């Protein structure tokens, strides 16, 4: 039986850009649905249930940040945020509302396609490895099989990327992972990316876990190297 066609929604008010990106994605076999403003985008996303959303930050009406916030209430689709601004604050804000990755305009359509492909082809962390039960780090419990995380017995709502980041670190708690290693394992590729995307997601993850970055119990920074888990 053939694999189901993966669905991408492309949201941008620049119609020629959407048409160009759509052509490149369709060549790779994706089913693509365009949208050009916020309300339309939300309607399309709810209707077609995409695997990936390519989402412009600056849109008329409902902007990309608000769309990302609303999408995260009903969808776990990957979100690739597009921004015309090189200002890092915009990137960080976009990721903090649930975007998984970002791309700054102008960009190569081939690069965008490569980002989408990397996200969709990456396996769940060690998918072929049987679940190892619940891992505990003080009040933190990680259940890989159920993809659930609890802190002090309270369920914590994580995005797919946040869970996979925590799952990767907790499977080898004595290992310090570099930014490049985490990009390869969690995002599918370190190509075209810098370490800021990891740092932002670590900050978001710590916030949800109630982990103080200056005295981290769970996700610890090893300066000049990367991140590792705290002691079980």
């Amino acid at each position: 039986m053939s694999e189901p066609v993966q669905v991408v929604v492309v949201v941008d008010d620049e119609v020629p850009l959407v048409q160009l990106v759509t052509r490149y994605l369709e060549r790779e076999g994706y089913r693509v649905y365009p949208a050009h403003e916020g309300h339309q985008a939300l309607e399309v996303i709810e209707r077609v249930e995409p695997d990936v959303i390519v989402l412009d930050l600056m849109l008329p009406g409902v902007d990309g940040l608000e769309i990302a916030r609303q999408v995260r209430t009903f969808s776990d689709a990957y979100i690739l945020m597009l921004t015309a601004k090189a200002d890092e604050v915009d990137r960080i804000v976009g990721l903090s509302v649930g975007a998984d990755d970002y791309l700054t305009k102008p960009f190569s359509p081939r690069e965008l396609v490569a980002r989408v492909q990397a996200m969709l082809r990456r396996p769940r962390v060690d998918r072929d490895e049987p679940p190892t039960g619940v891992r505990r780090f003080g009040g933190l419990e990680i259940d890989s099989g159920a993809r659930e995380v609890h802190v002090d017995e309270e369920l914590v709502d994580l995005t797919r990327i946040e869970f996979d980041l925590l799952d990767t670190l907790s499977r080898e708690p004595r290992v310090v992972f570099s930014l490049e290693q985490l990009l390869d394992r969690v995002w599918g590729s370190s190509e075209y990316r810098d370490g800021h995307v990891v740092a932002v997601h670590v900050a978001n993850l710590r916030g949800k876990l109630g982990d103080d970055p200056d005295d981290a119990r769970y996700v610890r920074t090893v300066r000049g190297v990367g991140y590792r888990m705290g002691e079980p």
Side-chain angles (χ1 to χ4, degrees):
M1 188 169 62
S2 62
E3 290 287 327
V5 176
Q6 291 172 307
V7 175
V8 181
V9 171
V10 179
V11 186
D12 198 299
D13 60 339
E14 298 180 47
V15 176
L17 176 62
V18 173
Q19 292 172 338
L20 177 63
V21 169
T22 296
R23 287 199 299 273
Y24 272 81
L25 288 167
E26 287 180 339
R27 286 178 195 167
E28 299 300 322
Y30 299 108
R31 181 174 295 129
V32 184
Y33 294 86
H36 303 295
E37 58 87 26
H39 295 293
Q40 179 195 23
L42 287 167
E43 184 277 324
V44 171
I45 292 165
E46 286 197 72
R47 175 168 51 86
V48 306
E49 299 180 352
D51 299 286
V52 177
I53 302 164
V54 178
L55 177 60
D56 188 34
L57 178 65
M58 301 301 293
L59 289 168
V62 183
D63 68 13
L65 297 181
E66 181 59 28
I67 291 172
R69 289 190 188 95
Q70 293 190 34
V71 164
R72 280 292 170 250
T73 67
F74 64 84
S75 172
D76 207 17
Y78 293 116
I79 298 177
L80 174 60
M81 189 76 80
L82 305 178
T83 174
K85 299 181 179 180
D87 192 311
E88 199 157 275
V89 173
D90 288 321
R91 302 175 184 179
I92 291 173
V93 169
L95 293 169
S96 71
V97 298
D100 299 294
D101 202 356
Y102 65 83
L103 192 57
T104 303
K105 296 179 178 179
F107 56 84
S108 161
R110 290 186 179 87
E111 180 181 347
L112 184 146
V113 171
R115 296 282 189 99
V116 170
Q117 289 173 327
M119 285 191 287
L120 288 175
R121 72 169 174 255
R122 73 182 183 86
R124 289 282 175 253
V125 178
D126 296 330
R127 178 181 286 170
D128 296 331
E129 177 185 318
T132 56
V134 176
R135 298 179 218 116
R136 292 180 174 86
F137 299 81
L140 172 65
E141 295 184 352
I142 304 156
D143 187 333
S144 290
R147 292 185 65 81
E148 288 185 351
V149 172
H150 291 79
V151 173
D152 298 330
E153 301 185 355
E154 293 289 327
L155 182 65
V156 181
D157 184 23
L158 300 181
T159 67
R160 285 196 284 185
I161 288 284
E162 289 164 354
F163 181 88
D164 288 348
L165 180 57
L166 183 61
D167 197 31
T168 297
L169 293 168
S170 65
R171 282 177 183 264
E172 300 179 77
R174 296 295 301 164
V175 173
V176 180
F177 288 88
S178 70
L179 301 182
E180 290 77 14
Q181 287 173 319
L182 289 172
L183 286 168
D184 283 332
R185 292 203 185 192
V186 179
W187 279 264
S189 171
S190 59
E191 189 177 13
Y192 302 123
R193 294 178 174 87
D194 58 37
H196 293 299
V197 69
V198 178
V200 171
H201 280 284
V202 167
N204 294 342
L205 179 60
R206 282 172 170 161
K208 291 183 179 182
L209 299 178
D211 205 9
D212 182 354
D214 295 324
D215 186 22
R217 295 173 294 166
Y218 307 133
V219 181
R220 295 184 175 175
T221 300
V222 179
R223 297 198 182 278
V225 184
Y227 300 97
R228 74 168 183 86
M229 290 299 293
E231 296 298 330

